[in-house]
Amino acid sequence: MTIKPVITVPDPILRETSVPVEAFDDTLQVLVDDMFETMYDAPGIGLAAVQIGIPRRLLVLDVAGEDDQPDPICMVNPVIERFGDTLRSHEEGCLSLPDVLVHIDRPASVTVRYLDRHGVAQVQEADGLLATAIQHEIDHLDGKLIIDFLSPLRRNMIVRRLKKAARTV
């Protein structure tokens, strides 16, 4: 397994719409393993393939707490089929936006249909942090970032700061 560099704003690939995964071959299995390794190393609770430069509809998640057993989930070509009626406010961070936290109101529950890493169809009902993480990562697959929930002024201030930080590295 290889830890991959996480792409950060302002890289334009983060705004691309990811294309479906078609082949469930050894290359995909290595990519999934690398994504889990990268996510855990970051550390994060979710990672979309586009965040490591591969615009495919693939994401990994693990929202288990530090004292809990790991609970890794891989979703290939995920589609949210149902959003819950109530909202949950949560402060979200993003590996592609270092040191940025944004309060976002999202549906508190979702039902998502996806394929697992072996191409087997799955349906997941999720609530709380898992529902939030699923929505966050699917946003990445659609080229959407947490800063898109902010006013244009705040979003532009954050992007300018990240561009400046990227130039000084």
Side-chain angles (χ1 to χ4, degrees), residues 18-39:
S18 296
V19 297
V21 171
E22 296 176 3
F24 290 81
D25 54 11
D26 290 343
T27 301
L28 178 68
Q29 302 311 312
V30 170
L31 174 58
V32 170
D33 289 340
D34 289 350
M35 287 177 64
F36 275 118
E37 188 77 13
T38 301
M39 178 189 74

Side-chain angles (χ1 to χ4, degrees), residues 70-81:
D71 187 20
I73 300 169
C74 171
M75 294 185 174
V76 181
N77 302 333
V79 175
I80 296 177
E81 298 210 317

Side-chain angles (χ1 to χ4, degrees), residues 23-153:
F24 290 81
D25 54 11
D26 290 343
T27 301
L28 178 68
Q29 302 311 312
V30 170
L31 174 58
V32 170
D33 289 340
D34 289 350
M35 287 177 64
F36 275 118
E37 188 77 13
T38 301
M39 178 189 74
Y40 287 129
D41 180 70
I45 63 169
L47 184 71
V50 70
Q51 291 179 274
I52 58 168
I54 302 168
R56 296 286 181 263
R57 295 195 75 80
L58 167 65
L59 61 90
V60 296
L61 302 156
D62 190 343
V63 299
E66 287 183 22
D67 297 330
D68 299 326
Q69 287 285 77
D71 187 20
I73 300 169
C74 171
M75 294 185 174
V76 181
N77 302 333
V79 175
I80 296 177
E81 298 210 317
R82 187 189 66 77
F83 291 96
D85 295 330
T86 61
L87 294 179
R88 173 180 190 263
S89 182
H90 187 74
E91 187 174 63
E92 296 182 33
C94 181
L95 299 176
S96 292
L97 290 148
D99 303 319
V100 174
L101 296 173
V102 177
H103 273 91
I104 299 175
D105 292 332
R106 296 185 186 266
S109 62
V110 295
T111 302
V112 61
R113 178 179 40 86
Y114 64 97
L115 302 173
D116 69 15
R117 68 187 294 167
H118 304 291
V120 177
Q122 305 287 331
V123 175
Q124 171 93 42
E125 300 214 7
D127 59 12
L129 182 58
L130 180 58
T132 298
I134 289 168
Q135 293 171 79
H136 176 112
E137 298 308 329
I138 290 176
D139 278 354
H140 275 298
L141 303 182
D142 296 329
K144 187 173 183 179
L145 301 169
I146 59 173
I147 56 174
D148 296 338
F149 290 87
L150 299 173
S151 70
L153 178 63

